Amino acid sequence: MTRSYRFISEHRAVFGVTRLCRVLGVRRPGFYEWLAAAPTRAKRAADDEGLAAEIGEVHAGHRGAYGRPRIVVALRRRGRRVNHKRVGRVMRERGVVGLTRGRRRSLTRPDAVAAPVPDLIGRDFTAPTPGRRLVGDIT
């Protein structure tokens, strides 16, 4: 939609708004609504630039380790009212990412060549008298 409206805005002096809207298949009132919202879009873009500068300060101040959740907390501590979704969008648009931890690695690995332990009692854990079958489990 935005591309269509931008095209109409650039060529309306030559072809007229009504004709361009009909050819592009968009609503004429929708174009005028988009045109009226231009100052709001410009203000939001300026606010996003200011927010991006603050995000960059916090991110650099913590050696690039902070991601979106911690940056949101840091901005709120500074007194800035922000939404976590907006911070995430601004960070994504500007390529700001935090450090992620590496995968946890298992310290024990089964031996591939070892023979499996035999099941000596055949999964029957009942005992005729106490002390006849002693079983243990390390899991």
Side-chain angles (χ1 to χ4, degrees), residues 10-42:
E10 292 169 357
H11 296 90
R12 66 183 171 165
V14 178
F15 299 107
V17 174
T18 306
R19 180 184 295 168
L20 287 170
C21 288
R22 188 173 57 241
V23 168
L24 294 173
V26 296
R27 293 176 37 247
R28 191 170 56 88
F31 167 71
Y32 288 113
E33 290 167 1
W34 176 82
L35 203 58
T40 306
R41 280 193 305 277

Side-chain angles (χ1 to χ4, degrees), residues 56-77:
E57 288 176 17
V58 172
H59 191 69
H62 294 280
R63 298 180 305 194
Y66 274 18
R68 182 201 41 88
R70 286 181 174 173
I71 287 178
V72 169
V73 171
L75 291 174
R76 287 180 180 164
R77 282 188 185 145

Side-chain angles (χ1 to χ4, degrees), residues 64-130:
Y66 274 18
R68 182 201 41 88
R70 286 181 174 173
I71 287 178
V72 169
V73 171
L75 291 174
R76 287 180 180 164
R77 282 188 185 145
R78 290 181 169 193
R80 177 88 187 237
R81 292 183 62 195
V82 292
N83 185 327
H84 67 98
K85 294 179 185 177
R86 184 175 190 186
V87 172
R89 178 181 53 80
V90 170
M91 288 177 66
R92 191 171 44 254
E93 288 172 353
R94 286 155 180 83
V96 178
V97 292
L99 293 178
T100 56
R101 293 186 181 136
R103 283 184 55 193
R104 282 187 73 179
R105 296 190 186 115
S106 176
L107 298 177
T108 58
R109 295 202 174 94
D111 189 3
V113 295
V117 178
D119 185 6
L120 300 176
I121 61 172
R123 308 289 300 165
D124 180 21
F125 300 110
T126 58
T129 59

